[in-house]
Structure formats: structure tokens, C-alpha cells
Amino acid sequence: GRNLIINGAMQVAQRGTSSTSEGYHTIDRWRVGFSGGAGSLSQQELTLGQTDLPRQFRYYARLSVTTGADFAGSQHRIEGVDVVSDEKATLSFYAKGTNPGGGSVRVSLRQIFGSGGSDAVDVTDQSITLTSSWQRFELTYDIPSLSGKTIGTSSYLQVKLGQGSDTSTDAWTIDFTGVQLEVGEQATPFEHRS
């Protein structure tokens, strides 16, 4: 499939539907880190018959940060840093909520080269401004080349939605679903796979 994200529709939550702990404790493949702050990540169910999102979606993730901290957020790790390199990739998703104290949510990609590999490389961050209504966001990134890099064990490409370097302790919330990362400059409709 074209979508490099696994469980982008937040359908699978084998460990439980809510957690206040950091790491993988609820929605499969989605980690949370509070960076000294506090909050929860939970799987939420859309109201039957809702028309704010396409019918194909039944669930969404809610990251509720009760005490903000710089770099608090949720991340998805795509196994193998070499899955995309030296080309453009487009991230698309639906989101709503309240913004961190800095006024926007940071959406970032990061190349992690794994144990014994090169130092991590941050792809240029982008920011989004949330509202109380669902919006579809489409962000295109230039993924750096792997030329001259060393790939170690357990490398990955990280997608993260979070607070960024803002040190505000203000509470904030982001609801998100339909997360898709695909090669190229064009966002296509969400690829819904079981």
C-alpha cells in the first residue's frame, strides 16, 4: 500500500483504550511522551452518523495534555529509516483541538539511524493551528538523502505531533485520525486497510 503509517485510523488498541503512561500503552503503533508534563492518550469513537469526517472513520486518537512541556506529543515510528530517502513525502491527517501555549502544534519527521548508526537527522518542522472543528492537513517534506550515513539496528522514520520547543505548561488537546504518509508531493485519499 501507499500509506507508510500502520493503524493511522486508530482502529486497533490491543493494550487498552486509555493510558497516562509514556511509551506504548494504548493505540497500537502510537507512542506518547510528556517530557516532564502530564496527560493521556486515548482511543475515542466517533458518533454514528456524524458527517464531520468521511464515513470510513470510526475512531480517533485524543492526546490530552493536562500539564504542557516542551516536546510533549505522540509519535509513530516507521520501521527502517531507509523506507523513504532523498525524495518528497506528504503527510496528511484530520485533526481538531486546542493549541499548546505557543499557539500551534509542531508536526515533525525525524530520521533515527538506530543503535550503532549515524546521529539522528531532523526534517524541517511544520506547524498547524487547530480549531474546534475537524480539518484535513496536508504537509509535504523533503526527506534527506542517506548518503554518507550508517544505518544501525532498529532504525526508523519518526512522525510526531506535539508541543515542540515551547516551554509553556498550559493544557492542550489534539484529536487526530486518518494519518497517512506517502511518497510524493500529492496527498491522496486515506488508504483504509484492515
Side-chain angles (χ1 to χ4, degrees):
R2 66 182 182 275
N3 189 2
L4 300 173
I5 300 288
I6 297 173
N7 202 23
M10 313 302 159
Q11 297 169 276
V12 184
Q14 297 179 89
R15 297 174 182 90
T17 56
S18 183
S19 177
T20 58
S21 299
E22 293 187 309
Y24 291 110
H25 295 285
T26 179
I27 302 168
D28 287 34
R29 306 292 296 208
W30 290 92
R31 292 176 55 90
V32 66
F34 295 110
S35 190
S40 65
L41 180 66
S42 61
Q43 181 193 53
Q44 303 287 319
E45 191 166 1
L46 290 160
T47 305
L48 290 176
Q50 63 81 33
T51 57
D52 296 329
L53 292 175
R55 281 190 319 225
Q56 71 189 100
F57 297 110
R58 184 173 172 195
Y59 299 102
Y60 62 94
R62 171 169 288 161
L63 176 62
S64 179
V65 178
T66 54
T67 304
D70 57 340
F71 305 112
S74 184
Q75 62 181 254
H76 186 285
R77 295 176 174 182
I78 301 165
E79 294 174 9
V81 70
D82 56 343
V83 69
V84 182
S85 67
D86 200 22
E87 57 193 324
K88 292 185 183 294
T90 299
L91 180 69
S92 58
F93 56 94
Y94 295 90
K96 68 173 183 164
T98 58
N99 296 290
S104 61
V105 171
R106 182 180 83 151
V107 183
S108 61
L109 273 62
R110 189 173 204 214
Q111 292 174 313
I112 307 291
F113 292 91
S115 178
S118 299
D119 291 339
V121 174
D122 291 313
V123 181
T124 304
D125 292 344
Q126 297 192 45
S127 295
I128 60 169
T129 303
L130 301 173
T131 68
S132 59
S133 299
W134 287 104
Q135 302 175 72
R136 186 166 193 243
F137 294 95
E138 299 175 0
L139 308 170
T140 300
Y141 294 85
D142 288 307
I143 309 297
S145 169
L146 300 180
S147 179
K149 302 293 183 186
T150 300
I151 298 175
T153 56
S154 302
S155 71
Y156 56 92
L157 178 64
Q158 175 181 282
V159 176
K160 183 175 181 183
L161 296 100
Q163 189 164 335
S165 61
D166 162 33
T167 58
S168 167
T169 58
D170 293 352
W172 60 278
T173 300
I174 181 173
D175 296 343
F176 59 99
T177 194
V179 184
Q180 179 158 288
L181 181 68
E182 56 195 310
V183 174
E185 297 181 61
Q186 184 67 42
T188 62
F190 181 77
E191 181 181 55
H192 196 86
R193 304 177 75 190
S194 62

